[in-house]
Amino acid sequence: MRVTAGGFDSVLRQHLQGQLELAFLTLARTPQLGFGLRHSLQAGAELPLQLEDARIGVPQASRLAQRIAWLVVLAHGVQPRQTQFVALPTAQQARAAFQLREVDAVCVGDPMLTRLQRRGDIRVVTDTRHLSESLRLLGGPVLCPRLSASAAVVESHAAELQAVARAVQRALRWLQTAGPMDLAPHAGLAGFAGDPGAFLSVIMHTREAFAVDGAVDERAIHNVLRILRSLPQGHQYEGIEPVRLYTARLASAP
């Protein structure tokens, strides 16, 4: 039984290739990304002028980061240019380029974003880890990290997938309410064994984004497709039907 976790992009790619993949559980209700400039750029020119001239580093593997960066620039009244976006192989390399002043801005997620904030390196312009900023930038709800499976797997393993969905729902509810003493012992599982403080900072920054009930919202899918169609090469999403991208029955309340 194959279940995938990650961005909604993979579901869309499957549909573009003619393969029916269904999202069945939402893990986060905002993109959990931040767009920021170096602190040294805050003096002098106004933000639109800074963005117009900025070289913007984005992780090559994250289509979402590239799209959010494009939308942030547009939201500040600046027409983005493809040439100002620097695609770097990983988030770590985007962070390194930022710290070495090879780029003026980055769009990255955690833990990189929190680490840059804790060091005082970055001035965050838009933080979609916060629901209000995400709604303001994206014009409504969006479907973000999720669990999905092929339509055939959904039909043949519905009971097992529902058990997975309920277990994840319980974990999301726990993450939403757990205190620092509850969370700290789990820092090693997230790769923060030597720095539980950083782990707690990441959780506190992202906690609002967790989709506690896991429900897949069709409005969010419509909004994602609307945004994608407005971006360069958006024509490829014109034929996709939102109702064929998800199933709601596996994420019912326990």
Side-chain angles (χ1 to χ4, degrees):
M1 180 175 69
R2 183 183 65 84
V3 175
T4 61
F8 189 51
D9 264 356
S10 61
V11 173
L12 292 172
R13 284 198 300 275
Q14 292 293 326
H15 280 260
L16 290 172
Q17 294 166 11
Q19 300 171 23
L20 196 58
E21 183 92 0
L22 298 174
F24 67 86
L25 187 84
T26 300
L27 300 173
R29 53 189 181 154
T30 81
Q32 297 182 309
L33 291 166
F35 179 101
L37 296 135
R38 285 200 314 275
H39 264 298
S40 59
L41 293 178
Q42 65 185 358
E46 295 295 323
L47 183 58
L49 289 176
Q50 292 178 11
L51 291 176
E52 188 173 300
D53 296 330
R55 284 171 56 81
I56 301 165
V58 288
Q60 194 168 18
S62 176
R63 287 185 175 88
L64 182 59
Q66 296 170 38
R67 290 166 183 156
I68 292 293
W70 187 278
L71 290 169
V72 169
V73 175
L74 270 178
H76 285 88
V78 177
Q79 184 59 46
R81 306 183 314 278
Q82 290 283 7
T83 54
Q84 71 182 126
F85 294 91
V86 181
L88 296 154
T90 65
Q92 288 86 348
Q93 285 164 293
R95 175 192 178 194
F98 183 72
Q99 292 175 321
L100 292 170
R101 299 175 179 262
E102 294 170 356
V103 296
D104 307 303
V106 286
C107 187
V108 292
D110 277 317
M112 288 300 155
L113 183 58
T114 291
R115 285 174 173 152
L116 288 168
Q117 286 180 297
R118 293 181 89 206
R119 287 170 53 99
D121 292 337
I122 196 169
R123 175 170 57 112
V124 176
V125 173
T126 298
D127 191 342
T128 63
R129 295 172 301 183
H130 301 300
L131 191 57
S132 60
E133 290 195 44
S134 179
L135 293 173
R136 189 159 50 245
L137 178 69
L138 301 173
V142 293
L143 186 60
C144 292
R146 60 24 233 148
L147 298 182
S148 67
S150 70
V153 168
V154 170
E155 290 305 315
S156 60
H157 294 84
E160 294 96 323
L161 292 177
Q162 188 162 61
V164 169
R166 288 181 174 174
V168 174
Q169 285 171 317
R170 287 194 295 272
L172 290 169
R173 282 198 299 273
W174 182 81
L175 282 170
Q176 190 77 291
T177 58
M181 296 300 291
D182 303 310
L183 291 162
H186 301 279
L189 296 175
F192 289 90
D195 193 354
F199 171 67
L200 292 173
S201 292
V202 169
I203 293 293
M204 295 309 164
H205 278 134
T206 58
R207 183 137 69 175
E208 184 182 322
F210 301 147
V212 179
D213 63 4
V216 181
D217 186 345
E218 187 179 344
R219 296 173 305 159
I221 296 177
H222 278 278
N223 199 39
V224 168
L225 290 172
R226 176 190 64 78
I227 293 165
L228 291 175
R229 289 164 182 158
S230 73
L231 295 173
Q233 300 182 337
H235 62 276
Q236 64 184 311
Y237 301 102
E238 288 295 342
I240 295 179
E241 300 175 43
V243 294
R244 291 173 56 82
L245 299 172
Y246 79 104
T247 176
R249 62 191 173 99
L250 299 178
S252 58

